Amino acid sequence: MSDTPFGFGLPPEEPENGDEGKKKGNQGGQGGPNPFGFPGMGLPGGAGGPGGADNPFAAMFGSMNPNDLGAAFQQLGQMLSYEGGPVNWDMAKDIARQTVAQGTADGVKDTSVGVAEKSAVEEAVRLADHWLDGVTSLPSGATTAVAWSRAEWVEATLPVWKELVDPVAERVGVAMGSVLPEEMQAMAGPLLGMMRSMGGAMFGQQIGQAVGTLAGEVVGSTDIGLPLGPAGKAALLPLNIEGFGKDLGVPAEEVRLYLALREAAHARLFAHVPWLRSHLLGAVEGYARGIKVDTSKLEDVVGQLDPSNPEQLQEALQGGMFQPQDTPEQKAALARLETALALVEGWVDAVVHEAAKPRLTSADAMRETMRRRRASGGPAEQTFATLIGLELRPRRLRDASRLWASLTDARGVDGRDGLWEHPDMLPTASDLDDPDGFVHREQLDFSEIDKMLGEAAQKREQGKQGEQGKQGDGDSDGEGEAKK
């Protein structure tokens, strides 16, 4: 660590030769560093800019636009005054909305969804649900179909991102305090508070950036295999669907229908398998609990922490501070999560293909496009992998899809979909290695077991009531004898 406490730098000394030294130090017109890491907050012209010698604010911020200066101070105040949880989600939402407003790398800006687009999405989901009725025993799970802009996707999905990210961010908050020597922790309360505020803000900034970027890539609310949107809503993003189908050479109506099939299939699964959502999010949280923070990297950051340069912490977050613990428990948690994601995506892939193949000429091409898209992931997914130490991608999508298709052939639609009745009935990672063995293995019928247990409980209850009745009759007889 540096000689100054926590690496907070001391004010620069005055040059020995006064104003001459100041002038020499500012020759060349080079802009100073960006003190807070906010857009537009560089120091053009440096301290020697217009009015720099007489105006201390001009010396600090050069020829900065007053509006930008006010926004920068407002954002800085928001960052340092935050006292909430491990992530500043208000900042995350603001950053995500700003990222969406800037548009994607190809220059496409977000737009409001028109009436015609809403009608097209509603019709596509209605037709997709009709097609799915013939290939799955699970009834429709979409009570409404909605067409979202990118900004609306951000607003609707942030609550689930909060569930995903908070557990890991909490570990970072604890780690930030633990890297300080014990003798300093007692007297470093205000500084620790500031560090937590900065950590929450930096996490919020990075999550907001990632969510905003992801909003420019997704085509619905279930692209990453998790139910990001509200229950009962099948959501599509017309603007992104247009970009998705741009280079496929497939009619726009077919692209919309195929993606509506995927969204509606996910909706059925999450609506009628009540334990699935908590199972997936619980698997993510279980994996997060086993992540350890690279305290050596965090110590380097804290040791050099400069309150005027929060980009240091931001860069550390971008560089990744999280490492999965090499323990049997952590490996098991990762296996459960990857298998669960693969089973969800594999079921959707198999069911959608069965519905689309006879009706859409481009079904095979779009299926392969979606598989590659899910397998590779986009820049935003890679950002989340860096931030929470986890890639939300089904690594064994093809294996799972083949297994579900084999189950359909061997047991029929009802037999296949019946496996979703209980998590213990689902295939495991080893079953993906030997799908034929799983398909032809006798499966436990949990409904029959539940029925047997219920009957046994009913008999026990009847037996207890019978014993109580006999005891009551005995008491009555005794009373009668006494009266005689």
Side-chain angles (χ1 to χ4, degrees):
M1 295 183 66
S2 60
D3 295 334
T4 52
F6 315 112
F8 284 73
L10 297 174
E13 296 181 1
E14 284 292 326
E16 294 181 359
N17 50 352
D19 292 340
E20 288 298 318
K22 292 180 184 178
K23 292 177 181 178
K24 289 179 181 179
N26 292 319
Q27 285 177 351
Q30 297 296 321
N34 184 331
F36 299 111
F38 299 127
M41 198 151 179
L43 307 185
D54 301 321
N55 187 336
F57 286 98
M60 289 175 64
F61 300 109
S63 56
M64 188 178 195
N65 185 293
N67 293 331
D68 292 338
L69 178 62
F73 271 120
Q74 183 179 10
Q75 194 169 7
L76 178 64
Q78 181 184 8
M79 181 177 72
L80 295 180
S81 63
Y82 176 69
E83 296 179 351
V87 178
N88 188 332
W89 286 102
D90 290 335
M91 177 174 284
K93 183 169 75 170
D94 291 344
I95 297 294
R97 294 293 299 263
Q98 292 170 18
T99 303
V100 164
Q102 291 170 2
T104 51
D106 57 3
V108 178
K109 300 278 189 179
D110 191 25
T111 57
S112 300
V113 180
V115 175
E117 291 173 317
K118 290 180 180 178
S119 177
V121 166
E122 291 171 357
E123 176 62 21
V125 172
R126 185 198 63 78
L127 184 56
D129 250 341
H130 176 66
W131 289 357
L132 288 172
D133 284 338
V135 297
T136 175
S137 61
L138 298 179
S140 174
T143 55
T144 56
V146 294
W148 283 341
S149 66
R150 293 167 179 171
E152 288 172 325
W153 183 90
V154 168
E155 295 280 353
T157 62
L158 272 178
V160 178
W161 290 122
K162 188 175 188 297
E163 291 186 61
L164 289 171
V165 176
D166 270 353
V168 180
E170 181 67 40
R171 295 181 66 84
V172 176
V174 173
M176 288 183 70
S178 66
V179 298
L180 293 176
E182 290 185 10
E183 62 272 14
M184 293 186 179
Q185 290 187 18
M187 56 183 177
L191 292 178
L192 287 175
M194 188 186 75
M195 288 166 61
R196 282 192 293 268
S197 296
M198 291 179 67
M202 289 302 103
F203 248 111
Q205 187 176 31
Q206 291 303 300
I207 292 298
Q209 180 72 32
V211 169
T213 303
L214 198 58
E217 302 171 2
V218 296
V219 293
S221 69
T222 55
D223 282 35
I224 67 168
L226 296 174
L228 295 179
K233 283 190 177 180
L236 295 175
L237 282 73
L239 181 61
N240 292 355
I241 290 176
E242 182 181 348
F244 174 85
K246 185 177 180 181
D247 299 321
L248 293 181
V250 177
E253 294 78 10
E254 284 200 22
V255 174
R256 187 188 305 112
L257 260 173
Y258 188 83
L259 297 177
L261 278 168
R262 288 183 54 83
E263 184 74 8
H266 277 103
R268 288 183 181 228
L269 199 55
F270 288 115
H272 299 292
V273 183
W275 53 265
L276 182 56
R277 183 182 187 277
S278 60
H279 179 74
L280 283 170
L281 295 180
V284 174
E285 184 177 353
Y287 180 80
R289 281 196 302 266
I291 290 175
K292 62 181 180 181
V293 178
D294 185 353
T295 53
S296 62
K297 181 175 291 188
L298 193 56
E299 284 176 359
D300 290 341
V301 175
V302 175
Q304 303 172 18
L305 191 61
D306 181 352
S308 68
N309 187 15
E311 278 188 328
Q312 290 174 337
L313 187 55
Q314 177 180 336
E315 290 167 1
L317 291 173
Q318 289 175 326
M321 292 188 294
F322 314 114
Q323 301 171 347
Q325 292 182 1
D326 189 18
T327 63
E329 293 79 12
Q330 181 69 348
K331 290 177 181 178
L334 179 59
R336 285 195 300 271
L337 178 58
E338 290 184 342
T339 301
L341 286 172
L343 290 175
V344 169
E345 288 297 285
W347 184 88
V348 169
D349 179 77
V351 166
V352 167
H353 187 68
E354 191 175 351
K357 179 71 173 175
R359 300 177 174 92
L360 301 178
T361 57
S362 58
D364 288 331
M366 286 192 287
R367 182 190 202 186
E368 187 60 27
T369 299
M370 285 304 303
R371 282 180 165 185
R372 291 178 178 177
R373 175 186 172 100
R374 288 295 286 122
S376 61
E381 287 191 40
Q382 294 167 8
T383 301
F384 279 112
T386 300
L387 284 173
I388 67 175
L390 175 66
E391 294 179 347
L392 296 172
R393 299 208 304 267
R395 298 178 185 277
R396 308 196 64 181
L397 165 60
R398 294 176 189 270
D399 294 337
S401 182
R402 281 194 294 268
L403 187 146
W404 288 118
S406 297
L407 281 168
T408 307
D409 295 338
R411 304 185 186 184
V413 168
D414 291 341
R416 177 200 65 199
D417 294 346
L419 294 178
W420 290 107
E421 290 181 7
H422 194 281
D424 290 343
M425 296 176 68
L426 289 178
T428 63
S430 60
D431 292 325
L432 295 180
D433 296 327
D434 181 22
D436 290 335
F438 178 83
V439 168
H440 299 292
R441 186 189 312 150
E442 286 295 327
Q443 297 291 309
L444 290 174
D445 188 342
F446 280 80
S447 62
E448 288 298 320
I449 292 176
D450 290 340
K451 182 179 178 182
M452 291 169 59
L453 292 174
E455 290 175 351
Q458 187 176 9
K459 288 179 180 179
R460 285 196 301 271
E461 186 64 28
Q462 290 173 348
K464 289 180 181 179
Q465 291 176 355
E467 289 294 331
Q468 291 172 354
K470 290 179 181 178
Q471 186 177 358
D473 292 341
D475 290 343
S476 298
D477 293 342
E479 290 174 3
E481 291 295 331
K483 287 177 182 178
K484 290 178 182 178

